[in-house]
Amino acid sequence: MLNQIRPAIALIVLMTVLTGIIYPLAMTGISQVLFSRQANGSLVEQNGKVIGSSLIGQSFTSDKYFHGRPSATTTADPNDATKTIPAPYNASNSSGSNLGPTSQSLIDGVKAAAERLHAESSKPVPVDLVTASGSGLDPHITPAAVQFQIPRVAKARNLPENEVTDLVAKFTESRVLGIFGEPYVNVLKLNLALDDLLQIKPL
């Protein structure tokens, strides 16, 4: 029996060292050398200070900024650990609302968001401005969602709409290889470019 157990134990130890230590260390080293920025979270810096990640959305509320998708992430209620409270773009608790298409709560929320946006423009409201993503952390919005907001942003910054439109075009990413996915705009990067345009500090 010992002759049968010994090889099994040796194999467990070998595979543990190989897959639990050597392989992770090798992958970490390779990623730090070849893809350092991505491996460290695709962090975005401004004036030497980290202000976010290009992979995680942020809450922008000022009229001077483009707004991202709504976020349904939550955090523990400090007054009652059995409950949660809204915490938009909470990267430690990535989640969607888990509300189905027949949920009255979802319908009411979308209607309320659409009404607020209709006060901004009479154009049709893009769906990604009134619905949260599955992760709650989506840093991107569609070109249609950006274009919907251009008049508000241009007015708030006293800029010609065509100048803001040209900037948006520069930050619109195309489909991968021209066929995969859909065009998108990174909200954080676009807002930083707006600040650089007028050389003002973020609000």
Side-chain angles (χ1 to χ4, degrees):
M1 181 180 291
L2 187 60
N3 290 336
Q4 293 176 336
I5 294 176
R6 186 181 295 113
I9 294 175
L11 187 59
I12 289 174
V13 173
L14 175 63
M15 293 306 294
T16 299
V17 172
L18 182 62
T19 62
I21 299 176
I22 296 176
Y23 178 77
L25 287 176
M27 291 299 101
T28 300
I30 292 172
S31 64
Q32 287 294 333
V33 172
L34 299 180
F35 311 103
S36 179
R37 187 182 69 83
Q38 293 88 336
N40 289 299
S42 297
L43 301 179
V44 177
E45 295 185 3
Q46 187 179 57
N47 300 324
K49 181 181 179 181
V50 175
I51 59 171
S53 167
S54 62
L55 302 177
I56 299 176
Q58 293 187 30
S59 182
F60 293 95
T61 57
S62 169
D63 286 345
K64 292 184 177 182
Y65 292 103
F66 288 95
H67 303 163
R69 294 193 71 170
S71 174
T73 57
T74 61
T75 190
D77 188 335
N79 299 317
D80 187 346
T82 64
K83 298 179 180 180
T84 59
I85 56 175
Y89 307 103
N90 179 9
S92 65
N93 190 25
S94 173
S95 66
S97 66
N98 293 325
L99 299 176
T102 60
S103 167
Q104 191 60 47
S105 178
L106 175 64
I107 294 171
D108 291 343
V110 170
K111 283 184 177 179
E115 287 176 2
R116 288 194 298 271
L117 289 169
H118 274 309
E120 176 181 322
S121 172
S122 59
K123 296 178 181 178
V125 177
V127 68
D128 51 326
L129 288 182
V130 295
T131 57
S133 65
S135 69
L137 306 176
D138 197 342
H140 308 116
I141 54 177
T142 61
V146 178
Q147 291 160 11
F148 180 88
Q149 301 180 70
I150 287 176
R152 167 178 54 78
V153 173
K155 180 180 179 181
R157 290 180 177 264
N158 294 316
L159 288 171
E161 285 191 23
N162 65 318
E163 191 171 344
V164 179
T165 300
D166 290 343
L167 185 65
V168 167
K170 293 179 181 178
F171 282 84
T172 300
E173 301 287 341
S174 303
R175 293 180 174 90
V176 179
L177 300 178
I179 56 174
F180 297 110
E182 295 293 332
Y184 63 89
V185 179
N186 187 285
V187 179
L188 175 59
K189 290 181 178 179
L190 177 58
N191 284 336
L192 288 177
L194 275 169
D195 283 337
D196 288 341
L197 195 63
L198 294 179
Q199 296 183 345
I200 63 173
K201 294 182 179 180
L203 300 180

